[in-house]
Amino acid sequence: MEIAIPLYDRFTALDAVGPYEVLSRLPGARVRFAAVDARPYTTDTGMLTLLAETALADMPHPDVLVVPGGPGTPQALADGRLVGWIAGAHATSRWTTSVCTGSLLLGAAGVLRGLEATSHWLDLDELEHHGAVPSGRRVVEQGKVITSAGVSSGIDMALTLSAHIAGDAVAQAIQLAIEYDPQPPFDAGSLRSAPPGIEQLVRAAVAQRDARS
Amino acid sequence: MEIAIPLYDRFTALDAVGPYEVLSRLPGARVRFAAVDARPYTTDTGMLTLLAETALADMPHPDVLVVPGGPGTPQALADGRLVGWIAGAHATSRWTTSVCTGSLLLGAAGVLRGLEATSHWLDLDELEHHGAVPSGRRVVEQGKVITSAGVSSGIDMALTLSAHIAGDAVAQAIQLAIEYDPQPPFDAGSLRSAPPGIEQLVRAAVAQRDARS
């Protein structure tokens, strides 16, 4: 099974690496990091670089695509080669998935019209521009299309997908292998649970990041 | 604040990228992926390559070190340049941390003598060879030394560390920014919770991987 994770400049690392860590453990799976050009891509922080070893043109029909998000998504949306590849890959894929603002790229490729979908909470409303119905759920399944919420949600999405592909026992073995028994020290990971003032801290940090870029 | 994440061949990607995704968001933090030689390093699956842009020799005294684990740990334990660097960095660090079998590297560097520590559940007993007391907890704090359990636990560890470094509100804002509101589809992430037979599936997959390598 060929699994493509397309990269682009200023993607968010965990969006891509979380699902990779799960899906690469599926029996017979081959995960390929791909991009418009096969070259190194640097993440949103500027502190980490991953290699895209495959050109998108050389991998037109993966079985599974996992599209990550990040602050680079708006620029990526304007790249017809990436968006066109997503549309073409989706036409023949078994599963088409996204993490975080990767769903906006699915949307631009016409994948989400009339479907419920999710994204990072900061960008959820943007989905409406692509004809999707925003959902507050963490993992949203619509037939072969699965979108997930911000950054870390890709781990949950990939375990859900693993169960569909290989059965519950294999997915559970992957969960145990990566010891995914989450125990965050705070309950602040969603707008529902975050204490007062935390949302504003995040918005201020994002504004500062965007001002720098 | 300088944060070093040392890489080596056949490390596990999420061990490194989980803490990176959290700690890179600390105000004033600079995360550097470092290694004996500054070059690309390929992960345990052979499907992903990250760049170590800094040589360990050029970063002898980071404020924080985060040592990842993976199937490459046994080979890394035999590399005196890496183990020696950990010992030297620990001598002056503010925080010395590990994920998964990264704790065995801390142990080899003499960091864990007499301390409680943890690792991936498959390798927990190995800690005794380094004078540490194995603990079943997910994140184990002993003064400035923090070890965490398998692979995904580095996210929890890094949030705990973020709170120590920058306060609870900043750690909570990072948690909300990465939308870390875990909802795994199964409760199988620890030996305590995994259904019968799942541990054996993991052990069989590991044996198969080790036979190939």
Side-chain angles (χ1 to χ4, degrees), chain A residues 29-30 36 51-52 64 78 100-102 135 161 183:
Chain A
R30 168 83 206 177
V36 168
L51 297 190
V64 178
C100 200
T101 53
S135 163
L161 177 57
Q183 296 172 28

Side-chain angles (χ1 to χ4, degrees), chain A residues 51-66:
Chain A
L51 297 190
E53 300 191 56
T54 304
L56 292 176
D58 293 333
M59 197 181 187
H61 299 300
D63 301 294
V64 178
L65 54 158
V66 180

